[in-house]
Structure formats: C-alpha cells, structure tokens
Amino acid sequence: MTLRFDPPGAAPPAPDTLNRFIAIVGEANAITRPEEMTAHLKEWRDRYAGRAALVLKPGSVEEVSAILRLATQTHTAIVPQGGNTGLVGGQIPFESGHEVVVALGRLNRIRSLDAKGNTLIAEAGVTLQAIQEAAEAANRLFPLSLASEGTCQIGGNLATNAGGVQVLAYGNARDLTLGLEVVLPGGEIWNGLKRLRKDNTGYDLKNLFIGSEGTLGIITAASLRLFPKPKYLATLFAGCADLDAVAGFYALSLEAAGPGLTLFEVIPRIGLDFVLKHLPGSRDPLSRGHAWYVLAELSTFAQDEAGPGVAQSVLEAGLDRRLIEDAVLAASLAQAQELRRLRESLSEVQKHEGGSIKHDVSVPVESVPAFIEEASRAVCALVPGARPVPFGHFGDGNIHFNVSQPVDADKTAFLARWDEVSDCVHAIVLAHGGSISAEHGIGRMKRGMLAQVKPRVELEMMARIKAALDPHGIMNPGKLI
C-alpha cells in the first residue's frame, strides 16, 4: 500500500474562498499582501522561504475549527505555524503560494494553573518563556528549556516534540504533556485536556499529535506538568582533554547526583571560540583553553540537602581522577546565566562563520565519543578544511553535529554539498543505532530520508493514520510523511 501526501498542486484557492477565510477571523487578523507576510514565510536560518495565498491569525479555538472546516470543504492546504523557530522547514509553506498559513500567536492565554496539582493549561500561542514565568510565579518549574524560548510557542514545541537541555532529568515535550485540545481537519474539536497522571482507557490519542508537525490537526491548548522548584541549583563549567574524559565525568556526575543531574552539555573548543569572537560581552570562564567543555547543573530538592557540597565533591573527584582539567562553579544566578549563555549562543554565532551544514542526531550515550570522532574525520576527508562544531545534550545522546564551511570558502558552493555531507554523517549515526532527527523533527528537510531509516511497516502505519484523520490531505502537505 502506498499513500502519498505531496505539496499542494497548481490550483490556488478561489477569491471567494479566500474571502470566506478572511471573514472567519476578520480583516484585521488576515494578511493578504505578500510583502506583509514575510515574517511567516521564511525561517530564521534562511534555508526555506515560501509563498502563501493568505495568513490567518485566529483568536479562538472556534475560529480554528471554522478555518479547518472550510479548508476541508474547499480542499485548501493549511500550514499551522507557531513562533516560526523550527529548523526543518515544517512551518514554512511551499513556493507554489497556494497554501493558507494559520498562525496561532493570538491563542495566548494561560487558562489555568494548579500549583497543588502541579498542572498548567496553556493555549498553543503562549511562548515557552511565558509558561516558565507563570510556573515560577507559582513557585513551580516547567522544565522545557530551549534557546528560542522567548519566541517559540508551546503548540509548536508539542507539534515537534521539542527536547532542549533538561531532557536528561525531565524528558521531552511528550513527557511533559498530560492532555491536549486539538482541532481535527474536518473542524471537530477534541477536548482532551485531562490532568490525570493515569488514564488507561484505550489509545493514548494525544501522542498521535505530539510530534506530528501539524500533519494530523492543530493543537490549540495543552495540559502540562509542573514540578517543584529545586531548593539549590549548582551550575558548573569544566574543561576536559578529550571526549572519553567527558564521558567519564558524565558517569561520575550521574553517580553522585542521580536524578539531580538536570543538565549535562558538551561544547567543543571551536564552538567556544566562535562564541567569544561573535557574542558581545562573552568571556572564557577558565584560565586556559581546553579541547572540550562541559556545562552541567546539579539540583537538590530538600532544604536540608548539602547542595553546594555535592557539586563541590563532583568537581574534586573529577579533578582527582583527571577527568577534568579545570572548572568553575557559578557563585551567583548571574554567573550561572552567563555560563548558560555560552551554550545557548552556539547556534546563533555560527552564522558569522559562513555556511553551516547542520545535523540534529542522537546515538546511545555510550556511543557519543566514537560517533563525534568518526563523523568529524569523515566530514573533513569529504570536505578538506571543513570545521565540525559538534555540541549539545551529551546526557541524552542528542548531538547537534554542525559543520562550518572552510575558512574563506564560497558559502554557496559549500551549502550545495549539504546532502552529500548529511548522507555521510547520517550513515555513521545509523551505524551506531542512532536517529537522524532527535528533537527538531522531519519537516521538509528530512522527509525524503524516512524511507531509508524507517521500516516499511512503520511508514505504512503512519500513512494509514494520516489518511484516516486527514483523508483530503489538507494538513501541512509535503511535510513529515
């Protein structure tokens, strides 16, 4: 059985159809002029830029429902969009200009927060930072944390099953979600905003939509898990001689802190060099250079725990065993934020070094050192002078294996080799039993790769689910599947 859900064809929506869409949200919340749509048609890395027949900004779930009902009736392709921070083109319309973008930023209410029950219900357009701040105000923690958290929206985070830096302790977006409100392609509203930890009454439908990248329906609200805030948080930055030492220090930290090890990130020296060169106000936390760096956070939750002592003992043991060469422990919240900023700026600063071919991959944690070394050698052999910048979430095996162009190389010529370089890197990922997409999703960028990495039966199950929920193929066609 072969089912295809391709990009929209050559038939644009009729003018009358566009007017009916506009009437749903009102003229003030519809963008019709191409020059005013730019913010919704281009992703921030400039890899994907499309066109649209219309951009709609619904202000309620009922308006989303009316939009999808009309889209089904008229066979109009719909592209759901959150904060437009995605990295695989899933939120960007194609170049045909025949799709309607549904931007969810006006669905921006936090509907409820139950501090005792540790739950929060937020609409899809609420930014991740706003959710974190609401939790903070209630003396709670929402642990999903991304570099784009001031801009990205929770609906998009869930549609892509976002990960971030604290997956190690708290899990990814899927693990932080108790229930969803979703509008189906025919306009039906599924209110699944349960706040239950246990519900064994059949299929877990919410997990069909988390990670579906807008291809099955539009998430309009979510019931999210909150956590007690740590009583003490230690942030440390350490230099290591090699990746085996990083792996050893990770094992030591995990053994000492257990679930209190809430973050463990790895940074190469070249990445730190890029940050120091291009990020104003940044400085090297350590007195000399090291081949690799670790940014780690250790949390304790009981008031009487010796939080500072645990972090200090981890550092001392790491130095004694020669797993780390030097380290600094943040003495204040400001210092901790400064250390975090070094890691969070890594993607941004690479722009200043020319073209960058990026990979969001995962391998088993024990394979991370071997994968990085093998992939770095292979890429440099393929593109002499290429500069691998592998960094990311060592503790859960998710590495952002980015490759910056050779110094003074032609950017266009380098980026033209994207597929060639990616094939090389992904072959090594798969040899280690890894995944070609750890947290960014599939979107447009990796759609063609799925047949190479997923068994046929998995692809057919996905296609059957898509056909059952979206029989007219109006939801984000040409993405993911």
Side-chain angles (χ1 to χ4, degrees):
M1 173 175 144
T2 301
L3 297 172
R4 293 189 61 83
F5 304 92
D6 291 316
D16 176 64
T17 298
L18 295 179
N19 288 334
R20 292 169 68 190
F21 277 119
I22 293 170
I24 293 171
V25 299
E27 291 187 5
N29 298 306
I31 305 175
T32 58
R33 295 169 64 87
E35 62 272 19
E36 296 175 358
M37 296 183 190
T38 304
H40 299 279
L41 305 182
K42 187 177 181 181
E43 56 101 25
W44 72 276
R45 293 192 313 194
D46 296 331
R47 181 164 171 80
Y48 296 102
R51 296 168 56 229
L54 186 62
V55 175
L56 299 174
K57 298 180 177 182
S60 68
V61 64
E62 290 77 18
E63 289 183 359
V64 176
S65 172
I67 289 169
L68 292 194
R69 190 179 307 114
L70 178 58
T72 292
Q73 293 169 1
T74 58
H75 291 201
T76 302
I78 297 293
V79 180
Q81 189 178 94
N84 194 13
T85 60
L87 298 175
V88 292
Q91 78 282 14
I92 301 296
F94 282 90
E95 293 75 14
S96 68
H98 300 158
E99 295 168 288
V100 171
V101 174
V102 177
L104 297 163
R106 291 182 62 223
L107 296 177
N108 57 6
R109 293 186 305 127
I110 292 178
R111 295 182 184 174
S112 68
L113 191 155
D114 178 4
K116 291 183 179 179
N118 287 302
T119 61
L120 178 152
I121 296 178
E123 293 181 339
V126 180
T127 65
L128 178 53
Q129 181 175 321
I131 292 173
Q132 294 168 343
E133 290 172 350
E136 172 78 21
N139 197 34
R140 291 293 182 265
L141 170 73
F142 184 64
L144 186 63
S145 181
L146 312 172
S148 60
E149 58 198 28
T151 307
C152 66
Q153 298 170 8
I154 193 64
N157 297 150
L158 297 177
T160 56
N161 190 28
V165 296
Q166 298 196 99
V167 168
L168 172 63
Y170 296 102
N172 53 26
R174 191 184 303 279
D175 302 303
L176 301 173
T177 306
L178 296 171
L180 295 178
E181 177 184 84
V182 179
V183 179
L184 301 177
E188 304 97 329
I189 300 172
W190 171 49
N191 186 341
L193 289 173
K194 296 181 179 180
R195 295 180 291 169
L196 302 175
R197 263 62 176 183
K198 291 183 176 180
D199 179 8
N200 198 10
T201 56
Y203 302 136
D204 188 351
L205 296 176
K206 72 178 184 296
N207 278 321
L208 282 178
F209 298 95
I210 298 174
S212 67
E213 302 186 41
T215 61
L216 300 178
I218 294 181
I219 295 171
T220 51
S223 175
L224 305 170
R225 297 178 62 193
L226 302 181
F227 296 81
K229 286 178 59 182
K231 296 295 189 292
Y232 176 80
L233 181 67
T235 302
L236 62 89
F237 194 87
C240 300
D242 54 39
L243 286 165
D244 287 335
V246 171
F249 187 52
Y250 168 69
L252 168 68
S253 302
L254 188 61
E255 183 70 24
L261 182 63
T262 48
L263 184 149
F264 196 95
E265 300 285 299
V266 63
I267 303 169
R269 179 65 209 189
I270 188 173
L272 184 59
D273 284 341
F274 286 177
V275 172
L276 299 176
K277 180 179 178 182
H278 300 295
L279 183 66
S282 60
R283 62 182 184 84
D284 194 329
L286 304 179
S287 58
R288 67 178 180 86
H290 303 270
W292 294 90
Y293 297 89
V294 166
L295 173 69
E297 289 185 353
L298 287 76
S299 303
T300 54
F301 294 89
Q303 195 68 53
D304 59 350
E305 284 190 72
V310 173
Q312 193 63 46
S313 65
V314 165
L315 289 180
E316 290 173 359
L319 289 166
D320 288 344
R321 300 182 195 180
R322 299 185 178 180
L323 297 172
I324 59 177
E325 299 176 321
D326 193 11
V328 62
L329 187 63
S332 66
L333 177 60
Q335 288 184 7
Q337 291 172 336
E338 206 173 294
L339 294 175
R340 263 205 176 209
R341 188 166 169 249
L342 298 176
R343 160 63 182 88
E344 291 170 351
S345 302
L346 278 169
S347 292
E348 175 190 341
V349 297
Q350 288 173 63
K351 281 186 172 184
H352 303 289
E353 293 291 325
S356 179
I357 297 175
K358 302 178 185 295
H359 308 87
D360 163 46
V361 300
S362 63
V363 296
V365 174
E366 65 271 18
S367 297
V368 169
F371 160 70
I372 291 177
E373 290 170 359
E374 291 170 22
S376 297
R377 284 197 303 268
V379 164
C380 290
L382 185 66
V383 184
R387 296 173 291 169
V389 190
F391 67 95
H393 320 304
F394 190 100
D396 58 42
N398 175 197
I399 299 300
H400 300 296
F401 192 88
N402 296 354
V403 184
S404 285
Q405 70 178 57
V407 175
D408 297 328
D410 180 80
K411 179 179 177 179
T412 301
F414 175 71
L415 293 179
R417 302 188 69 179
W418 191 297
D419 290 344
E420 185 183 0
V421 172
S422 291
D423 288 346
C424 172
V425 172
H426 289 152
I428 298 169
V429 169
L430 297 176
H432 283 280
S435 169
I436 65 168
S437 179
E439 62 179 1
H440 292 165
I442 298 299
R444 294 173 61 174
M445 181 186 292
K446 299 181 180 181
R447 178 184 182 233
M449 302 177 193
L450 280 188
Q452 304 168 34
V453 300
K454 276 192 175 293
R456 181 178 178 82
V457 65
E458 285 190 37
L459 294 174
E460 290 190 349
M461 283 193 291
M462 290 171 63
R464 288 185 179 117
I465 292 169
K466 169 75 169 172
L469 292 178
D470 181 23
H472 299 290
I474 66 164
M475 297 303 307
N476 221 5
K479 317 289 177 56
L480 176 61
I481 187 170

